[in-house]
Amino acid sequence: MSTSDSDYSLIKQGKVKTAYESPSNPDTIMFDFSDRISAFDVVIPTDIPKKGENLRDFAKFFFDNLNVPNHLIDTVDSTKMIVKKLDMIPVECIVRGYLYGGLFDRVNNGEIEIDCDNVLATKLSEPIFDPTTKSDIKDEPITESEIISQNIVSEEELNYLKNTSIDIYKKILDMASKSGFLIADLKLEFGKDESGNILLADSIGPDEFRLWSLAKYEVGKTQESYDKQILRDWLIDSGYKKQLDDAKKK
Ligand SMILES: Nc1ncnc2c1ncn2[C@@H]1O[C@H](COP(=O)(O)OP(=O)(O)O)[C@@H](O)[C@H]1O
Ligand SMILES: [Mg+2]
């Protein structure tokens, strides 16, 4: 399939993906993966060459191989995919297998208690489901009971989201380990089709997980990462993250 003879027109420029809609295919969206990179919910002014192609190929690989009902219909050119248009569930389904990033900070400042050594990059005894809200400004942790009490999804749907997310994390961890890598955590998004069925949506790739080298993994230190953590670390070290957090508090 080629986009040159289609009638897709721009509907939304997301942080990373640009979305197009077509009047002749109203049930679909075409996502074009750009070379843009975002961190802490801000798009960074410098692009990463070939990032879009790589993200699209990662997404196709996982949607084809995870064996979970998902929104992918087709891929186009080197950076695009056509998906089923869904009513997105406004929760980021995060699964964490290691104490890192925001979870490490929350354990340290007493916001959350987890049964593990309070040491950076410790492996958790079991992967945990650690959802957040989905916001354009700052995603905030949300508990399972808040998801139910705010009627975001039903209890049964939440169980599906939680169990499916943890299963996907375990599958991807297993796939990565065969190539000498480790997945520390993962962010997934789901949406509902017209019949109310929940499908895995958005994308899965190095913008959605932390990928570490198995050989170099060492508890207690910042891990060498093959994802956008390098950028986050740089933004923290340069003081940008603090400036950003202070500005958001105002
Ligand atoms: N199948 C789908 N139907 C409708 N919306 C989707 C679907 N898959 C993903 N989305 C949404 O499209 C947007 C993807 O673009 P992205 O660049 O990631 O934007 P954002 O800046 O909102 O993260 C996200 O808001 C995501 O929730
Ligand atoms: Mg996104």
Side-chain angles (χ1 to χ4, degrees), residues 94-112:
I94 298 175
V95 180
R96 299 175 178 276
Y98 292 78
L99 187 64
Y100 212 72
L103 182 65
F104 179 71
D105 298 340
R106 277 150 64 218
V107 167
N108 261 287
N109 63 28
E111 259 175 69
I112 177 172

Side-chain angles (χ1 to χ4, degrees), residues 22-33:
S22 146
S24 52
N25 293 291
D27 304 334
T28 68
I29 296 179
M30 184 170 71
F31 283 122
D32 188 1
F33 288 83

Side-chain angles (χ1 to χ4, degrees), residues 23 156 162 192 212 215-216 238:
E156 190 189 336
K162 178 178 178 172
K192 288 184 190 174
W212 298 342
K216 291 182 183 161
S238 67

Side-chain angles (χ1 to χ4, degrees), residues 12-19 29 31 36 71 83-88 92 134 136 187 189 200-203 208:
K12 185 194 163 194
Q13 168 133 336
K15 287 189 284 284
V16 171
K17 301 188 268 321
T18 307
I29 296 179
F31 283 122
R36 296 188 289 276
H71 68 165
V83 302
K84 194 166 176 43
K85 192 188 289 175
L86 301 175
D87 186 11
M88 294 303 287
E92 308 233 313
K134 199 173 144 46
D136 282 338
K187 188 268 299 185
E189 291 184 32
L200 176 62
D202 204 52
S203 182
E208 283 74 34

Side-chain angles (χ1 to χ4, degrees), residues 2-19:
S2 151
T3 40
S4 54
D5 53 1
S6 73
D7 56 354
Y8 280 93
S9 57
L10 183 114
I11 47 165
K12 185 194 163 194
Q13 168 133 336
K15 287 189 284 284
V16 171
K17 301 188 268 321
T18 307

